[in-house]
Amino acid sequence: MFKKILIANRGEIACRVIETARRLGIRTVAVYSDADANSKHVALADEAWRLGPAPVAESYLKVERIIEICRLSKAEAVHPGYGFLSENPGFVDALTAAGITFIGPSADAIRAMGLKDAAKALMQKAGVPVVPGYHGETQDPAFLKARADEIGYPVLIKARAGGGGKGMRRVDDPIDFLAALEGAQREGQASFGDPCVLIEKYLTKPRHIEIQVFGDSHGNAVHLFERDCSLQRRHQKVIEEAPAPGMPEAMRAAMGAAAVRAAKAINYSGAGTIEFIADVSDGLSEDRFYFMEMNTRLQVEHPVTEAITGQDLVEWQLKVASGERLPLTQDQLSINGWAFEARLYAEDAAKGFLPATGTLDHLRLPGHIARVDSGVRQGDTITPYYDPMIAKIIVHGPDRKTALARLLAALEATEVAGSVTNATFLAALCRHEGFAAGDVDTGLIGRDQDALIAQGETPPTVMALAALASLGLLRPAEGTDPWDRLIGWRGWSASRQFAVLDHKGARHEIEARSLGRSRFAVHLAGDVLEIELTHVGDGEIRFDTGGHRDKARLAETGQGISVFYAGEAFEFVRADVLSGDDEGDAAGDKLVAPMPGLVKVLTAEKGMAVTRGQPLVILEAMKMEHTLTAPRDGVIADVFVAAGEQVTDGTLLLALAEETADAA
């Protein structure tokens, strides 16, 4: 076994590898960019070395620097994690030439599966079924459109390199094909340095089911059963589970056997995943699943496989890379119970899931009821340079119903302040009737997205607690400080104070009257809520409203107030009443950046007439493209950015000329 390894990655996967290495007595070397100098993985590792500036091309993709650090630190092997250099055969070749072990498959195996078109041809030869489509070399737009017309719409355009949903476009109408092709090619070039695509038939009710495989250098290969990753948004996984709901034993056996054939066809060694798409228009069947691609690395969702098999896949990777045989044979592997993983991201579901940034001023993850894999701590900053994942929340139970209930409880116990997250959206998915019943396909989120991201009314108790916090009135009823007893005291009449809060895009002025120690009357939209604080401490508030005892948690971060109640997070900001309110200042005349990103395409020009909804700017963030459109009909008065420019959240991109009233 290795004595020291370098982890060529960051975030939660780096922390995950360090955890297993430490348990096995292996010393670890972390690498970091300037943006990650004080990050969790740096603190956990035995030693850490600087790579370079924040951009990945100047840090985590610097092959020569990583090899130099291996020499300086005397690391014997490199674990690539996922993303970055994990599926780069040139990196493997460079390590091999330097006498350093790559904890993963051979460069030849990565090359064989690195391009989806070549991989599909190889799988067909190995007897693995593939999706009907065009997987050839010709990339002429007119030729590709003709192939799509022959296949029949809807079709899916897919970048042949990489994964993660990048460079993928569904096309339902032939008229949209060329524009979608151009977008997929741009994303493929930006994400993987390869604009080439393939065209496939889009299945109208597909499920994404993948098989975890493992091989060793002695010719052995096994599968560790399936994961269902059908709950997706824009081809990116949201919640994964293992095993797959409703999976017939015959289909499980057929998919497992096909996956092992695929691995053996390329003499695969290490952890890998064979991704299949299943046509479930008539239910799951062993004759309706098709090879999509192979990920020649550890998957983000590997913990659900670990949960149902009881195996540590990182430990398996380390053992296999050091020359050992697979720890278990196929007959020794079995499924125990059910597991889910939810990906907690800094992203705004209400704004089309735009990635978010911010400092995690308050972070409370549900480690008491779930396994939590995270690469951040309270006080860390989510930057625009890397994937905005906060944590993976993993649960296990004896059956699907129990495991799903545990996932919902874990999500409801999650508290984040300082950045918007998708926690409420994930909880809504857990409550979704179809998902709860196991009736899931890749289109579920798209069909029901409006209902899943709908924001209900804020409970009056939440408004009251936010107002009391803003006024500094949340003091412990059982406190010993005599000055607490004077909070809100008035000599001649009841104390009246007013909190001014911004919440959900609106301003609220809330009156609070003291009724005595820790008792208040809070005036809310014509109603009066009497609330008595029975306990305040460690972020928890217990209160009584007319004989109903309840509790909430609260975090104050600068001007912000976050109330966590009944499994939801409610955000408030203390309004600056002296600053004036210019929200309505020609809001429809301006186009601003909704997130940090790169201006990839700019079609707007000064003096150009535009119509509402017309695409004007394509902003790239986290290697994904987001199209920004004209807010109304009008004429562009000015453009303030240029293509290729990096912008921050809230940057003014362009302005429309003011509308003039028609003459009477």
Side-chain angles (χ1 to χ4, degrees):
M1 182 55 73
F2 309 113
K3 294 179 181 178
K4 181 186 283 190
I5 65 170
L6 181 146
I7 303 162
N9 217 297
R10 63 176 301 280
E12 67 85 16
I13 186 57
C15 296
R16 165 73 187 88
V17 175
I18 290 170
E19 178 185 336
T20 291
R22 178 177 292 166
R23 181 172 57 79
L24 296 177
I26 301 170
R27 292 181 61 82
T28 55
V29 179
V31 291
Y32 62 90
S33 71
D34 290 344
D36 283 338
N38 298 311
S39 64
K40 182 179 177 180
H41 80 280
V42 170
L44 287 178
D46 293 299
E47 58 185 284
W49 296 72
R50 178 182 181 271
L51 287 169
V56 294
E58 302 175 51
S59 53
Y60 293 102
L61 298 183
K62 296 284 286 185
V63 173
E64 299 84 0
R65 176 59 178 158
I66 291 171
I67 291 175
E68 179 187 14
I69 293 171
C70 284
R71 291 196 181 106
L72 292 171
S73 65
K74 296 182 172 53
E76 307 158 77
V78 171
H79 193 299
Y82 49 73
F84 296 143
L85 295 168
S86 62
E87 294 180 282
N88 185 319
F91 180 49
V92 181
D93 286 336
L95 288 173
T96 302
I100 301 164
T101 301
F102 179 71
I103 303 173
S106 67
D108 288 343
I110 295 175
R111 286 190 178 95
M113 291 298 189
L115 298 179
K116 297 183 181 70
D117 50 0
K120 289 177 187 292
L122 181 61
M123 290 301 97
Q124 283 182 304
K125 290 181 181 178
V128 180
V130 301
V131 181
Y134 174 73
H135 309 129
E137 292 290 329
T138 303
Q139 294 293 302
D140 176 70
F143 177 86
L144 292 175
K145 184 179 183 303
R147 300 291 78 73
D149 293 343
E150 291 173 2
I151 295 167
Y153 294 86
V155 298
L156 190 65
I157 304 172
K158 300 173 66 174
R160 71 174 183 176
K166 298 177 178 67
M168 297 179 69
R169 296 289 190 278
R170 172 181 170 172
V171 186
D172 295 289
D173 192 315
I175 198 171
D176 299 323
F177 181 85
L178 294 177
L181 173 64
E182 185 178 344
Q185 290 173 328
R186 274 197 309 270
E187 273 189 7
Q189 178 64 44
S191 300
F192 318 116
D194 185 349
C196 295
V197 301
L198 49 85
I199 313 296
E200 291 183 344
K201 179 66 178 174
Y202 183 86
L203 304 181
T204 55
K205 192 173 183 182
R207 273 173 65 177
H208 180 132
I209 301 175
E210 59 190 32
I211 303 290
Q212 175 72 61
V213 294
F214 236 102
D216 63 25
S217 57
H218 304 278
N220 303 306
V222 298
H223 69 83
L224 289 90
F225 312 106
E226 79 275 4
R227 297 184 289 256
D228 195 310
C229 306
S230 299
L231 216 54
Q232 299 181 5
R233 176 191 56 76
R234 290 184 65 183
H235 309 294
Q236 291 185 307
K237 300 163 187 175
V238 177
I239 295 179
E240 302 98 348
E241 62 182 300
M247 172 65 76
E249 283 300 328
M251 184 174 181
R252 175 174 291 131
M255 293 184 77
V260 170
R261 284 200 305 274
K264 287 188 173 183
I266 55 172
N267 299 314
Y268 196 79
S269 178
T273 298
I274 310 295
E275 298 196 347
F276 294 101
I277 191 166
D279 180 359
V280 295
S281 54
D282 292 316
L284 288 170
S285 173
E286 62 267 30
D287 60 355
R288 287 197 301 275
F289 69 89
Y290 309 97
F291 172 86
M292 286 197 299
E293 62 186 1
M294 181 178 188
N295 288 307
T296 52
R297 53 171 168 80
L298 198 65
Q299 292 278 86
V300 178
E301 58 273 21
H302 76 273
V304 294
T305 296
E306 293 182 324
I308 65 165
T309 61
Q311 303 303 310
D312 183 331
L313 298 191
V314 174
E315 181 178 344
W316 278 43
Q317 285 186 296
L318 294 168
K319 288 182 175 180
V320 166
S322 66
E324 294 185 27
R325 294 178 180 274
L326 290 175
L328 297 175
T329 64
Q330 192 68 63
D331 291 342
Q332 293 173 310
L333 291 164
S334 61
I335 295 174
N336 174 31
W338 215 282
F340 286 94
E341 174 184 292
R343 303 186 186 193
L344 181 67
Y345 275 99
E347 63 181 12
D348 194 337
K351 292 184 178 179
F353 297 93
L354 293 179
T357 58
T359 298
L360 302 175
D361 298 310
H362 174 80
L363 181 63
R364 189 168 183 259
L365 297 172
H368 59 299
I369 53 176
R371 166 181 165 180
V372 176
D373 287 8
S374 178
V376 296
R377 303 151 299 184
Q378 184 167 297
D380 287 350
T381 298
I382 304 296
T383 74
Y385 298 106
Y386 314 117
D387 185 86
M389 180 185 285
I390 295 173
K392 301 186 310 194
I393 298 173
I394 306 109
V395 296
H396 180 253
D399 51 57
R400 190 175 190 273
K401 182 178 180 180
T402 303
L404 187 57
R406 289 176 179 171
L407 179 60
L408 178 58
L411 290 167
E412 290 180 340
T414 298
E415 300 175 11
V416 183
S419 177
V420 63
T421 77
N422 65 341
T424 299
F425 169 72
L426 293 172
L429 281 170
C430 292
R431 300 186 193 100
H432 187 280
E433 185 177 347
F435 181 57
D439 182 14
V440 60
D441 62 85
T442 58
L444 185 149
I445 290 177
R447 289 193 302 271
D448 297 341
Q449 181 167 308
D450 290 345
L452 289 166
I453 66 174
Q455 295 182 329
E457 294 294 324
T458 301
T461 50
V462 170
M463 297 291 291
L465 291 173
L468 295 176
S470 177
L471 295 169
L473 299 176
L474 289 182
R475 299 295 182 92
E478 68 276 18
T480 58
D481 187 342
W483 294 106
D484 284 345
R485 302 183 182 185
L486 299 179
I487 295 296
W489 180 85
R490 295 294 185 274
W492 301 101
S493 63
S495 163
R496 296 178 64 194
Q497 298 186 63
F498 294 86
V500 183
L501 298 169
D502 291 333
H503 177 59
K504 291 184 177 179
R507 181 155 293 181
H508 303 267
E509 185 172 313
I510 304 169
E511 177 186 347
R513 297 191 183 195
S514 176
L515 302 179
R517 185 183 182 190
S518 301
R519 291 180 57 241
F520 303 92
V522 183
H523 294 248
L524 300 162
D527 292 328
V528 178
L529 176 70
E530 290 195 8
I531 183 169
E532 179 181 0
L533 306 177
T534 60
H535 170 79
V536 179
D538 298 325
E540 183 176 86
I541 303 101
R542 299 176 197 161
F543 54 92
D544 186 305
T545 53
H548 175 217
R549 297 212 163 194
D550 209 341
K551 61 183 176 181
R553 289 185 56 82
L554 185 140
E556 296 187 60
T557 54
Q559 292 296 103
I561 299 171
S562 300
V563 181
F564 305 101
Y565 175 74
E568 292 191 62
F570 301 88
E571 305 295 332
F572 299 83
V573 177
R574 294 179 177 88
D576 185 353
V577 295
L578 299 179
S579 67
D581 185 0
D582 58 3
E583 286 185 15
D585 181 19
D589 294 338
K590 299 175 181 177
L591 189 65
V592 299
M595 62 193 166
L598 178 72
V599 179
K600 193 72 175 178
V601 177
L602 179 69
T603 60
E605 296 178 2
K606 185 176 180 178
M608 185 171 77
V610 297
T611 57
R612 178 183 174 86
Q614 179 178 338
L616 298 177
V617 181
I618 295 178
L619 200 62
E620 181 186 272
M622 312 299 178
K623 298 298 183 183
M624 297 291 284
E625 292 186 353
H626 305 269
T627 301
L628 308 181
T629 62
R632 62 169 172 83
D633 295 352
V635 175
I636 296 177
D638 220 335
V639 179
F640 303 103
V641 295
E645 185 174 338
Q646 187 78 33
V647 297
T648 59
D649 185 6
T651 297
L652 180 61
L653 304 176
L654 60 86
L656 301 181
E658 292 185 14
E659 294 182 293
T660 57
D662 293 334

